[in-house]
Amino acid sequence: MTMQYGPSYVREIAPYVAGKPISEVAREFGLDEARIVKLASNENPLGIPESAQTAMTRAAAELGRYPDANAFELKAALAARYGVPAEWITLGNGSNDILEIAAHAFVEKGQSVVYSQYSFAVYALATQGLGARAIVVPAVDYGHDLDAMLAAIEDDTRLVFIANPNNPTGTFIEGPALEAFLERVPRRVVVVLDEAYTEYLAARHRYDSIAWVRRYPNLVVSRTFSKAFGLAGLRVGFAIAQPELTDLLNRLRQPFNVNTIAQAAAIAALGDAAFLERTAELNATGYRRLAEAFDTLGLEYVPSFGNFVLVRVGNDDGAGARVNLALLRQGVIVRPVGNYGLPQWLRVTIGLPEENEAFIAALGKALAQG
Ligand SMILES: *Cc1c(COP(=O)(O)O)cnc(C)c1O
């Protein structure tokens, strides 16, 4: 008999599928890296803000020493920006780290975690990694069904994950509906509100989740520098919650989970209002262009509040993989979402105007190939 290592709940985890790196696609398909368009990981097409680039170069001189484990300056900047005490902030190596830490902090093996069908893959990974039980609530119109999620909470439920806007579907819950949900969730259940795309919301859709953190002792708001702030490769995320929860998160956090360069870059990016504004504008324009192209091609898509769009590229379960391969051959990388149970769909990140055009042209050809 072959040896089986590790608990069964770890062996049963389906590994996270990341967007294909440009170098890998170039090798695999014999393409020139410079001509490959990557719209697969919801990165900011503008890249790193120049302000952050400058801060990184300066911080590099300090790399012989350990990072500031408490990230005094970054926490001070976040505290000022969001109007909370520094004691309410937990830093993560990306917000993925925050999601993992939260699962470990609030849930024991055997207890349950509630999240929605078609919500971010990391919720399932964090739950399974603990040997906890996932209660996956069917989505409505590809988004969260908050009433059903509330009804799904059981006696042993300790955590609810909500992504708003959600990835990979791009759906959004308006503030009042979310607040009504928070009001009704039992206080023993922690709610992690994952707002990775909040900076992309138009003014009329914004709501004040930090005010909710003051009101609800069981709420953790999670944010990231990976999307609108343009620092995906540096891995910085953070959580805002009342001190009782924050204290638990910080006990589990690895002391040096955010490195020196990342801390410096995040401070600079946080202060770069012009970059955020350009990012949101570029995204809104790109979204309109993609929506128009999908309409022209007769493709269904889910209206998106993030920096990506979920589009249905066929009516058979081979469609996503087939069209994805046809796009890869043309040097366009998007994200197949069969692992989310959406085999007829692709998720495409909104890029620079020329990247969007390259994708649209390649998609037209891919679909014509049938
Ligand atoms: C991209 C994303 C994150 C952020 O990941 P990082 O670890 O911060 O890079 C978190 N939640 C959702 C829903 C996302 O799409």
Side-chain angles (χ1 to χ4, degrees):
M1 207 178 85
T2 47
M3 195 63 204
Q4 287 207 307
Y5 295 101
S8 58
Y9 59 82
V10 173
R11 292 198 302 267
E12 284 158 13
I13 292 174
Y16 181 80
V17 185
K20 270 179 182 285
I22 288 175
S23 54
E24 184 182 320
V25 172
R27 274 196 305 275
E28 227 174 277
F29 293 88
L31 299 165
D32 175 5
E33 278 197 27
R35 298 195 44 208
I36 290 177
V37 170
K38 185 183 178 218
L39 302 172
S41 300
N42 299 346
E43 293 139 339
N44 190 326
L46 293 172
I48 308 167
E50 232 175 83
S51 53
Q53 190 85 253
T54 309
M56 286 164 62
T57 308
R58 205 175 305 130
E62 305 298 322
L63 287 178
R65 298 195 185 281
Y66 278 101
D68 175 358
N70 197 35
F72 178 84
E73 287 182 33
L74 175 54
K75 281 194 183 174
L78 288 167
R81 165 74 172 257
Y82 296 107
V84 294
E87 293 70 36
W88 290 35
I89 297 168
T90 311
L91 292 175
N93 189 253
S95 56
N96 274 263
D97 193 24
I98 295 287
L99 304 172
E100 280 284 342
I101 293 170
H104 278 90
F106 307 127
V107 187
E108 274 179 39
K109 180 173 179 221
Q111 294 178 328
S112 65
V113 177
V114 169
Y115 53 86
S116 176
Q117 179 188 26
Y118 307 141
S119 64
F120 191 40
V122 170
Y123 309 155
L125 292 174
T127 303
Q128 290 173 299
L130 286 172
R133 184 165 58 93
I135 301 178
V136 184
V137 178
V140 168
D141 294 334
Y142 303 100
H144 293 69
D145 180 345
L146 291 184
D147 289 336
M149 290 180 75
L150 194 66
I153 292 173
E154 296 184 12
D155 287 346
D156 71 355
T157 301
R158 292 293 177 272
L159 182 61
V160 176
F161 282 116
I162 292 181
N164 202 42
N166 183 44
N167 172 20
T169 61
T171 55
F172 177 68
I173 310 158
E174 296 287 352
L178 204 45
E179 192 177 1
F181 173 81
L182 292 172
E183 191 61 47
R184 292 164 65 200
V185 171
R187 292 297 174 263
R188 70 183 154 75
V189 180
V190 173
V191 177
V192 171
L193 178 57
D194 177 356
E195 298 184 327
Y197 301 96
T198 202
E199 295 82 8
Y200 291 99
L201 291 174
R204 66 184 182 285
H205 294 298
R206 301 242 166 150
Y207 56 82
D208 187 358
S209 52
I210 308 303
W212 297 343
V213 170
R214 286 190 205 95
R215 200 155 345 126
Y216 301 106
N218 57 331
L219 176 62
V220 177
V221 167
S222 165
R223 301 266 179 100
T224 182
F225 281 91
S226 296
K227 308 288 161 58
F229 289 106
L231 303 181
L234 280 176
R235 316 303 303 128
V236 196
F238 61 98
I240 298 181
Q242 289 192 19
E244 289 71 20
L245 297 188
T246 301
D247 181 49
L248 292 180
L249 294 171
N250 271 312
R251 285 173 201 222
L252 286 175
R253 181 183 68 87
Q254 291 189 22
F256 304 111
N257 64 341
V258 180
N259 69 64
T260 304
I261 291 194
Q263 291 184 26
I267 294 168
L270 193 64
D272 198 337
F275 182 82
L276 271 191
E277 202 171 310
R278 266 175 68 210
T279 294
E281 269 175 31
L282 185 76
N283 192 65
T285 312
Y287 177 65
R288 284 193 294 274
R289 175 66 183 118
L290 289 185
E292 173 195 68
F294 295 151
D295 286 338
T296 304
L297 291 166
L299 299 178
E300 181 187 355
Y301 63 94
V302 179
S304 177
F305 291 79
N307 67 343
F308 56 90
V309 191
L310 187 69
V311 58
R312 184 180 228 149
V313 293
N315 298 317
D316 63 281
D317 287 351
R322 188 171 62 240
V323 174
N324 181 56
L325 183 62
L327 289 171
L328 284 172
R329 290 202 169 108
Q330 300 176 76
V332 176
I333 316 174
V334 300
R335 184 74 71 91
V337 281
N339 58 326
Y340 279 95
L342 294 163
Q344 305 179 358
W345 301 74
L346 292 174
R347 190 197 69 191
V348 55
T349 303
I350 298 165
L352 297 171
E354 59 271 27
E355 294 174 324
N356 298 333
E357 294 311 321
F359 162 69
I360 291 165
L363 180 62
K365 280 188 200 161
L367 292 170
Q369 288 166 16

